[in-house]
């Protein structure tokens, strides 16, 4: 058995039904325990995220609510939003998009819980910066440092895969195919730009993503909206296909209903990362007075990533009806956009993919650095950053089938200790939520 075959088998086991049920089940449980918080507080959460006057400027932390949100969005809005959605539709049928929505709805509660624990149990390092995330709430909240070490180990390695090399490879492939730019040139450009951003630490990352993320998301969404508006007669039938196939599983490969659910859930989680434990690392750096305040902001990330951006991709693919012709991944999304917009559609997807993938590299560099710092007591961070930037170039110029699969395994393994922590600390989440919602109610009353 080759290494690739072994990793493929391991990936199939890690991302099998036990993990998918645990991911969605945790979201369902937290939704019930928190009284459907993601529905009740969403308008307030969006106000906290995007209204400057709500930013906690005088509180402890390194970046604003908004910058914490955009840093997390930078890491999550990546190839999963373009290639991942297309793969879900090919393997699970159009109904997989519906199950991505379901995963996102409950994933909002999961993301909220991750962030509230990350802020509550964060620590200030020797440089005066905040450090937090699953490794800290597993150690300080749950009292199980070994689980924190496991999470940090998997996270520090996963950053080189899904957060680095596979993203760089996607960019170099897109640049070579669309603009005929040699992969080594793309690799050098990515290395330089990533290095410049990462040298400034989380404050630099926060400033870049605060500017970068809205532009890249709006650019891609406008392209999709033009298709949807100008072909509005196809929208109703496309939604009908998605809802019908969600329960009949008309997968391209003739799969069962379970196939639609599996790929919808798996690709949904791959896109928004709810339950993996990565995004709360950014949330822990936010300036905030109450953990619940930042947690509500973090919750909106899932809405933006999956309910909005992934829906734009999925709806366009189903409207184009090209998912049975052999194309897959980013190629299928490109083909679908091009069907409606010609060459411009291909450029929108390619440029969107470049921006999305680069932003993921920037966001995940911070996640990997914090995981590595936890394992080494913040020693050797400069070396980690240098190696991370070097691997951006390597990822751009080599074939990556084995790295893709290895990254998939590491991402899945991150989820297990994190979900254990969320379930066992759900009482803390509930009590912190109750405390903050009481404060928020008083604030609105006195406003």
């Amino acid at each position: 058995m080759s290494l690739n075959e072994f990793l493929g088998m391991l990936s199939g086991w890690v991302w099998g039904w036990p993990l998918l049920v645990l991911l969605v089940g945790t979201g369902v449980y937290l939704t019930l325990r928190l009284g459907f918080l993601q529905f009740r507080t969403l308008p307030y959460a969006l106000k906290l995220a995007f209204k400057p006057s709500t930013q906690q400027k005088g509180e402890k932390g390194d970046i604003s609510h908004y910058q914490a949100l955009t840093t997390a969005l930078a890491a999550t809005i990546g190839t999963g939003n373009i290639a991942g959605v297309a793969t879900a539709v090919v393997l699970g049928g159009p109904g997989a998009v519906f199950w991505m929505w379901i995963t996102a709805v409950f994933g909002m509660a999961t993301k909220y819980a991750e962030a509230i624990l990350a802020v509550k149990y964060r620590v200030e390092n020797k440089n005066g910066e905040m450090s937090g995330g699953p490794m800290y709430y597993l150690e300080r909240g749950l009292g199980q440092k070994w689980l924190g070490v496991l999470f940090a180990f998997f996270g520090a390695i996963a950053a080189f895969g899904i957060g680095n090399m596979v993203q760089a490879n996607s960019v170099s492939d897109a640049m070579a195919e669309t603009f005929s730019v040699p992969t080594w040139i793309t690799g050098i450009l990515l290395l330089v730009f990533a290095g410049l951003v990462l040298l400034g630490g989380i404050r630099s990352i926060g400033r870049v993503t605060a500017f970068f993320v809205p532009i890249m998301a709006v650019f891609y969404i406008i392209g999709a909206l033009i298709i949807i508006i100008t072909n509005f007669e196809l929208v109703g039938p496309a939604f009908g296909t998605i809802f019908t196939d969600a329960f009949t599983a008309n997968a391209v490969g003739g799969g069962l209903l379970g196939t639609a659910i599996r790929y919808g859930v798996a690709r949904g989680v791959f896109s928004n990362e709810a339950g993996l434990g990565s995004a709360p690392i950014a949330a822990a750096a936010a300036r905030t007075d109450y953990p619940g305040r930042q947690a509500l902001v973090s919750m909106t990330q899932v809405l933006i990533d999956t309910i909005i951006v992934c829906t734009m991709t999925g709806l366009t693919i189903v409207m184009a009806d090209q998912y049975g012709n052999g194309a897959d991944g980013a190629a299928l999304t490109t083909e679908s956009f091009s069907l409606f917009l010609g060459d411009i559609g291909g450029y929108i997807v390619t440029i969107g993919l470049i921006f999305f993938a680069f932003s993921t590299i920037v966001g995940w560099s911070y996640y990997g650095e914090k995981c590595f710092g936890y394992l080494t007591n913040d020693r050797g961070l400069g070396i980690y950053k240098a190696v991370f930037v070097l691997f951006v170039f390597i990822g751009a110029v080599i074939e990556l089938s084995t790295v893709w699969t290895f990254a998939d395994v590491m991402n899945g393994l991150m989820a297990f200790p994190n979900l254990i922590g969320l379930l066992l600390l759900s009482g803390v989440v509930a009590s912190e939520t109750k405390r903050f919602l009481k404060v928020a109610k008083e604030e609105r009353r006195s406003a």
Side-chain angles (χ1 to χ4, degrees), residues 240-303:
T241 300
I242 290 170
F243 285 116
T244 301
D245 285 6
F247 300 98
T248 58
N250 183 27
V252 173
L256 302 173
L257 173 60
T259 308
I261 298 174
R262 178 184 174 186
Y263 285 104
V265 172
R267 293 304 168 183
V269 171
F270 176 78
S271 174
N272 60 53
E273 298 179 14
L276 296 190
S278 47
I281 298 174
R287 289 189 294 271
T288 190
D289 51 358
Y290 290 93
R293 203 183 297 274
Q294 175 56 37
L296 287 176
V297 173
S298 295
M299 182 182 77
T300 65
Q301 176 201 334
V302 182
L303 174 78

Side-chain angles (χ1 to χ4, degrees), residues 93-370:
V97 176
F98 173 83
W99 294 108
M100 290 182 77
W101 295 335
I102 296 300
T103 302
V105 167
F106 293 113
M108 290 174 74
T110 305
K111 188 78 75 171
Y112 170 87
E114 289 176 320
I116 206 167
L117 292 174
V119 176
K120 180 175 176 60
Y121 293 109
R122 65 184 179 179
V123 299
E124 191 172 342
N125 65 21
K126 59 186 178 183
N127 298 320
E129 297 175 339
M130 290 297 175
S131 296
M135 52 279 200
Y136 290 95
Y137 56 72
L138 287 167
E139 177 187 350
R140 303 180 71 229
L142 198 59
Q144 301 295 327
K145 185 172 181 176
W146 68 276
L147 284 175
V149 169
L150 271 183
F151 174 86
F153 175 76
F154 295 138
I157 296 175
F160 283 94
I162 204 64
N164 183 327
M165 297 176 72
V166 298
Q167 306 294 336
N169 193 260
S170 296
V171 173
S172 65
D173 280 351
M175 290 290 285
E177 197 169 314
T178 306
F179 303 111
S180 301
V181 177
T183 56
W184 67 270
I185 291 180
T186 302
I188 290 174
L189 290 173
L190 287 173
L191 182 150
V192 171
F193 286 128
L196 289 173
V197 175
L198 304 190
L199 280 174
I202 184 57
R203 291 182 176 87
S204 172
I205 292 171
R207 286 193 299 270
V208 170
T209 58
F211 172 78
F212 197 69
V213 168
I215 293 174
M216 73 176 193
V218 169
F219 171 79
Y220 184 75
I221 290 169
I222 287 175
L225 281 176
I226 290 172
I227 293 173
I228 292 168
I229 293 169
T230 56
N231 298 275
F232 197 70
E233 72 280 0
L234 299 176
V235 174
F239 273 114
T241 300
I242 290 170
F243 285 116
T244 301
D245 285 6
F247 300 98
T248 58
N250 183 27
V252 173
L256 302 173
L257 173 60
T259 308
I261 298 174
R262 178 184 174 186
Y263 285 104
V265 172
R267 293 304 168 183
V269 171
F270 176 78
S271 174
N272 60 53
E273 298 179 14
L276 296 190
S278 47
I281 298 174
R287 289 189 294 271
T288 190
D289 51 358
Y290 290 93
R293 203 183 297 274
Q294 175 56 37
L296 287 176
V297 173
S298 295
M299 182 182 77
T300 65
Q301 176 201 334
V302 182
L303 174 78
I304 297 167
D305 178 276
T306 305
I307 302 296
I308 297 177
V309 181
C310 285
T311 297
M312 296 292 103
T313 302
L315 196 57
T316 302
I317 290 170
V318 177
M319 286 168 61
D321 196 20
Q322 300 294 302
Y323 46 87
N325 64 3
D328 193 2
L332 174 58
T333 306
T334 301
E335 195 173 298
S336 300
F337 272 68
S338 298
L339 181 71
F340 295 110
L341 299 175
D343 291 341
I344 293 175
Y347 292 143
I348 288 172
V349 174
T350 299
I351 294 170
L353 183 66
I354 291 167
F355 283 151
F356 289 179
F358 178 74
S359 72
T360 300
I361 293 171
V362 172
W364 265 92
S365 69
Y366 181 68
Y367 297 165
E369 176 191 334
K370 285 300 180 182

